[in-house]
Amino acid sequence: GRVLEDVHIRFGDRIMFANSNVDNDSMLASRYGIRNLPSVLIFTSGNVLTEITGTFEADDLEARLYDLI
């Protein structure tokens, strides 16, 4: 969505972003226990560090990312 696109512009040089449609990849949703949409999973070294679910503004996501990097 637009929020992730905006955040990617600001963090793209420090964080890798990926997008998946869980309707088309139910195994991925099952693997990570995704039950609510939208869901943003933040990984470090291949492991889920934190998950953000529900709607959010770009400023909220940016604040969470700044806390993690």
Side-chain angles (χ1 to χ4, degrees):
R2 186 74 203 153
V3 170
L4 290 178
E5 291 171 10
D6 291 345
V7 173
H8 179 260
I9 291 169
R10 294 184 190 105
F11 286 88
D13 61 332
R14 293 176 280 171
I15 298 173
M16 180 174 57
F17 288 81
N19 185 15
S20 178
N21 182 334
V22 296
D23 290 331
N24 297 332
D25 193 351
S26 60
M27 289 182 64
L28 184 68
S30 177
R31 178 178 179 183
Y32 292 107
I34 297 171
R35 292 181 179 78
N36 299 307
L37 297 177
S39 290
V40 174
L41 280 67
I42 300 171
F43 292 80
T44 184
S45 302
N47 299 309
V48 176
L49 181 63
T50 190
E51 179 179 2
I52 304 168
T53 59
T55 58
F56 47 84
E57 298 295 324
D59 292 342
D60 297 330
L61 181 55
E62 287 179 22
R64 296 281 298 267
L65 293 174
Y66 276 122
D67 288 343
L68 298 171
I69 59 172

